Amino acid sequence: EESGKRYFIGKSKIDLQIKESNDWFDIYATVYFGEFEFPFIILRDYILNNKKEFELPNGEIAIIPESWFAQYQNLFSFAEGTSQLRLKKYHIGIVKEYADSELAQLSMDRKLNNLLQFEEMEEIPMPKNFKGELRPYQKAGYDWFYFLRKWNFGGCLADDMGLGKTVQTISFLQRVKYDMLKSSERKAKFLLVAPTSLLYNWVYECTQFSPDLSTVIHSGAKRAKSPAELEKYDVVITTYGLIRNDESLFTQLHYDVLVLDESQNIKNHTAKTTQSIAKLNAACKIALTGTPIENSIRDLWSQMNVLNKGLLGTLKQFETRYAKPIEKEGDEVKAKELRKIIKPFLLRRTKEEVAKELPRLTEKIIYCDMTQEQAEYYETIKSEYRNNILDLVDVKGFEKSKFSILQGLSKLRQLANHPSLIDEQYTAKSGKHDILLEKIASAISDGHKLLVFSQFVRYLEIIEKDLQRLGLSYYKLTGATSKENRAKRVKEFQAQLNPAVFLISLKAGGTGLNLTSADYVFIVDPWWNPASEAQARDRTHRIGQKKSVFSYKFISRDTIEEKISLLQRKKQGFSKNIIVSENNVLANLDMTEIHYLLS
């Protein structure tokens, strides 16, 4: 009475109908407040901006029901149109959610509905020229690829490492070629983008499984300069860097299928490479990765925005609606909402789910005591870093100090391995290093082949010198290894019958390697992101492995390594709830955790 407002106290309701058209879902929605009815679109700004009072023609104020803000915010966030609301076809996850909750009547093609019911995916016959046999889950992935292409969607196959993403992709490309020849269409054109180290691997796999597919590697000084040179081949295989450098060449072509292997390479939306990839013209875009989230769920936005532009809105919308609530506040409702949107376009199967025939993987942590000299050195350096970092944060602020903080934390990690990594004058021993050498020698004497992973190439060089001194057979692979030598060393290691060690830098060897002749894995420094450690283990614990695999992680006691492991367990979860991946601790470090790591 004091405000002079008159409030509407009658009944309110919404009638919502969604009908599938060629490229859209058309939304027919009417809102009723008593005797008044309006197009629902009139409430768009109210719902999106959380404004609860809506004035009716008779001057009364209607209070928009609280439930409407939660129920229809997604609809208005992603719907287009000023007079007629409509959602793009790839927002099928949002549409289905309304139908399932009985908030809307839905008219949709039964086959399109199958995209949300993966078990009912249409069975597609295998192409005749494919020289292999797919396991049931791989055949399901092949069917899913085919379905995505049929509806002009993009998708990300995020199966665990070692489950055969390559063979699923090659069988799909062979099928598309077969279909286009059969219907007398033009020749199929495929573009496959991969890290440099995997180019020859793709050629080899195509030759093995689909010799009918003609391939060419676009690389080197003599690479093609005109579209005509590339159009002679079925599959053009090139690198992310060359897509960026030769953007003007590749944007002249239109591809039937674009394949992005290790698609975490386009996780940074501001990078020139990602922007060049986004400009490529393809009817169907397929991403392959075992780690769709490496740093934060913004990685997911960047990849999905290339595959289905607009699926997750603008980055600003995504930040506000999903990234911040999920990462900072652990909002389970938002995580569930995001999962429903991306579910039709992200397929992930774990080894536990689909490769039950794989031999057992045993994981163990080996805690190593530092030597007295190493421990004293570590404490001295830690105190110096702690004081310097805290002073820097006071002067520059936390965000501007992050690079220096990470440098300091990296130095402490190296100290935990071996102090000589940061001080060449250091002559005393390292507790972890001595235990590691002992375990390597023991495994070799027992007849095992083993993989040794470290993030630090310099540390691999230290191990290498000791292996030479001990007379142990070894191979080494780092970022400096050429792609030809990489393939040669892998082949030699696989073929060697005697026990041997393969020293591998985590960054260079975390993907694209099949090393099933090894049955021991040593991870000598814990990585911020557990998914990277899993990738390392998957070099040998994958399809084709016949022996039980033993994975050992070496951690120096009373160091930053122990604290990293605890932080991993504490912070992992949000991305697991979305796509069964892991969170990178570095993405969201705050000062409380910095104090903890340096305590």
Side-chain angles (χ1 to χ4, degrees):
E1 292 179 1
E2 292 177 3
S3 69
K5 292 181 179 178
R6 290 182 298 119
Y7 285 94
F8 168 77
I9 56 172
K11 289 185 176 181
S12 56
K13 70 167 185 171
I14 295 172
D15 280 345
L16 186 63
Q17 288 189 331
I18 303 175
K19 295 182 179 178
E20 180 194 345
S21 59
N22 286 337
D23 297 313
W24 302 87
F25 288 108
D26 293 317
I27 299 162
Y28 302 92
T30 305
V31 60
Y32 297 89
F33 290 106
E35 65 187 86
F36 301 108
E37 64 177 84
F38 312 93
F40 189 32
I41 197 171
I42 206 168
L43 294 184
R44 172 185 251 164
D45 288 340
Y46 292 84
I47 298 288
L48 290 177
N49 296 303
N50 208 32
K51 294 194 291 185
K52 298 179 180 178
E53 295 190 355
F54 174 71
E55 186 173 350
L56 299 173
N58 64 358
E60 290 184 339
I61 305 296
I63 302 296
I64 299 172
E66 195 69 38
S67 61
W68 291 9
F69 291 94
Q71 290 169 345
Y72 300 108
Q73 208 159 41
N74 245 6
L75 180 66
F76 283 129
S77 292
F78 294 108
E80 300 181 20
T82 52
S83 56
Q84 169 69 55
L85 285 173
R86 57 187 188 178
L87 285 164
K88 285 186 176 174
K89 268 282 176 56
Y90 52 58
H91 283 127
I92 182 175
I94 296 174
V95 168
K96 193 70 164 52
E97 185 179 355
Y98 285 117
D100 288 346
S101 60
E102 298 182 346
L103 290 170
Q105 291 180 313
L106 175 62
S107 303
M108 183 167 63
D109 185 295
R110 181 183 60 81
K111 290 182 179 178
L112 183 58
N113 188 45
N114 283 349
L115 186 57
L116 293 169
Q117 308 295 328
F118 187 72
E119 306 78 29
E120 302 171 23
M121 194 67 64
E122 182 182 358
E123 286 264 352
I124 306 299
M126 291 297 293
K128 292 178 181 178
N129 291 330
F130 180 71
K131 308 293 183 186
E133 188 173 331
L134 298 186
R135 294 163 184 265
Y137 73 88
Q138 293 172 333
K139 176 61 167 59
Y142 160 87
D143 292 338
W144 180 68
F145 279 154
Y146 195 89
F147 194 87
L148 290 175
R149 177 176 179 266
K150 179 178 178 180
W151 292 94
N152 295 319
F153 292 139
C156 176
L157 180 61
D159 283 348
D160 264 357
M161 290 289 166
L163 291 184
K165 292 187 287 290
T166 302
V167 73
Q168 292 174 70
T169 305
I170 292 172
S171 61
F172 167 62
L173 297 182
Q174 180 67 65
R175 178 74 208 193
V176 175
K177 176 180 179 177
Y178 171 79
D179 283 355
M180 292 183 71
L181 286 174
K182 189 177 176 183
S183 60
S184 300
E185 291 183 55
R186 57 175 173 73
K187 181 176 176 287
K189 290 184 288 186
F190 309 126
L191 176 63
L192 199 154
V193 188
T196 305
S197 59
L198 300 183
L199 298 186
Y200 287 98
N201 184 62
W202 272 102
V203 172
Y204 172 77
E205 297 288 349
C206 284
T207 304
Q208 183 179 6
F209 292 108
S210 253
D212 181 54
L213 288 173
S214 60
T215 62
V216 64
I217 290 180
H218 177 81
S219 179
K222 296 181 179 179
R223 64 185 185 270
K225 298 293 187 288
S226 69
E229 294 175 72
L230 296 177
E231 288 180 321
K232 295 183 287 187
Y233 302 93
D234 296 325
V235 188
V236 176
I237 304 171
T238 191
T239 68
Y240 286 94
L242 286 175
I243 291 291
R244 181 186 65 234
N245 294 344
D246 296 349
E247 181 184 298
S248 59
L249 168 63
F250 284 106
T251 50
Q252 294 179 58
L253 293 155
H254 187 280
Y255 295 96
D256 297 288
V257 181
L258 166 66
V259 179
L260 303 172
D261 190 20
E262 302 297 346
S263 63
Q264 66 272 18
N265 280 277
I266 58 167
K267 68 186 178 188
N268 181 358
H269 72 283
T270 62
K272 181 70 168 65
T273 298
T274 306
Q275 293 170 0
S276 297
I277 293 288
K279 293 176 185 175
L280 297 174
N281 301 305
C284 176
K285 298 177 181 179
I286 299 296
L288 310 173
T289 178
T291 51
I293 293 179
E294 281 196 327
N295 298 328
S296 80
I297 59 174
R298 293 161 193 80
D299 300 351
L300 182 65
W301 180 88
S302 180
Q303 292 168 77
M304 281 294 169
N305 202 51
V306 170
L307 298 174
N308 295 303
K309 189 172 179 60
L311 173 67
L312 298 175
T314 65
L315 181 58
K316 186 176 180 182
Q317 289 173 326
F318 183 75
E319 288 268 5
T320 304
R321 188 152 183 81
Y322 296 112
K324 289 178 182 176
I326 293 170
E327 292 181 350
K328 299 293 185 184
E329 300 158 25
D331 192 323
E332 291 290 336
V333 174
K334 291 297 182 188
K336 185 178 179 182
E337 193 177 287
L338 177 58
R339 187 165 60 244
K340 285 183 177 178
I341 294 174
I342 65 171
K343 181 186 174 185
F345 313 106
L346 194 145
L347 178 60
R348 181 171 177 85
R349 280 82 56 92
T350 65
K351 287 188 293 189
E352 291 75 19
E353 291 169 344
V354 299
K356 294 183 172 65
E357 77 281 9
L358 271 179
R360 184 178 176 186
L361 169 65
T362 301
E363 298 178 62
K364 184 179 179 181
I365 294 177
I366 296 178
Y367 289 99
C368 311
D369 289 318
M370 291 188 285
T371 63
Q372 185 176 342
E373 297 90 343
Q374 183 185 11
E376 289 172 357
Y377 197 169
Y378 182 89
E379 286 303 318
T380 301
I381 299 297
K382 185 181 74 172
S383 297
E384 289 177 8
Y385 277 132
R386 183 171 58 235
N387 295 334
N388 291 341
I389 285 171
L390 295 179
D391 290 344
L392 187 66
V393 171
D394 285 341
V395 175
K396 289 188 173 182
F398 178 66
E399 285 301 319
K400 290 185 178 179
S401 306
K402 246 183 177 179
F403 182 71
S404 297
I405 291 170
L406 297 182
Q407 275 189 319
L409 297 180
S410 180
K411 293 286 186 186
L412 292 179
R413 293 178 64 218
Q414 291 178 70
L415 273 172
N417 273 356
H418 203 303
S420 62
L421 282 171
I422 68 167
D423 181 1
E424 292 183 2
Q425 305 304 314
Y426 181 86
T427 56
K429 291 188 173 184
S430 156
K432 179 196 283 189
H433 186 68
D434 287 349
I435 292 173
L436 175 65
L437 289 178
E438 179 187 311
K439 296 292 184 185
I440 290 175
S442 176
I444 291 289
S445 66
D446 288 341
H448 297 285
K449 293 171 75 173
L450 60 150
L451 314 179
V452 177
F453 286 92
S454 175
Q455 184 209 349
F456 305 110
V457 174
R458 279 257 295 114
Y459 188 49
L460 293 179
E461 292 170 356
I462 292 173
I463 300 171
E464 181 180 19
K465 288 179 182 177
D466 282 312
L467 293 179
Q468 290 172 348
R469 176 176 57 81
L470 295 169
L472 298 178
S473 177
Y474 75 92
Y475 299 81
K476 191 172 77 167
L477 191 155
T478 68
T481 309
S482 69
K483 51 184 179 288
E484 293 85 2
N485 281 336
R486 176 187 173 100
K488 180 172 177 269
R489 288 172 194 176
V490 168
K491 187 176 180 180
E492 288 176 355
F493 181 81
Q494 283 287 87
Q496 179 163 317
L497 298 177
N498 296 324
V501 183
F502 208 142
L503 303 176
I504 306 173
S505 67
L506 196 61
K507 190 172 183 180
T511 58
L513 295 178
N514 187 335
L515 295 166
T516 49
S517 70
D519 58 344
Y520 272 48
V521 180
F522 288 176
I523 296 169
V524 299
D525 32 62
W527 183 232
W528 294 104
N529 186 352
S532 295
E533 295 177 4
Q535 281 186 320
R537 287 189 293 271
D538 287 340
R539 298 310 93 222
T540 186
H541 193 244
R542 59 195 295 129
I543 300 299
Q545 179 59 268
K546 305 299 182 187
K547 294 177 284 188
S548 294
V549 174
F550 296 86
S551 174
Y552 297 92
K553 181 157 66 172
F554 293 76
I555 291 180
S556 293
R557 286 189 192 276
D558 302 320
T559 71
I560 189 174
E561 292 186 333
E562 268 194 307
K563 294 183 169 70
I564 287 173
S565 295
L566 290 170
L567 270 186
Q568 284 176 340
R569 291 197 290 272
K570 173 187 166 191
K571 299 194 73 130
Q572 72 185 27
F574 72 77
S575 35
K576 188 172 183 178
N577 288 339
I578 298 168
I579 52 168
V580 201
S581 186
E582 302 292 347
N583 176 27
N584 183 344
V585 177
L586 285 180
N588 297 295
L589 276 178
D590 56 33
M591 275 310 295
T592 303
E593 288 153 353
I594 297 298
H595 278 286
Y596 168 70
L597 288 169
L598 295 174
S599 64

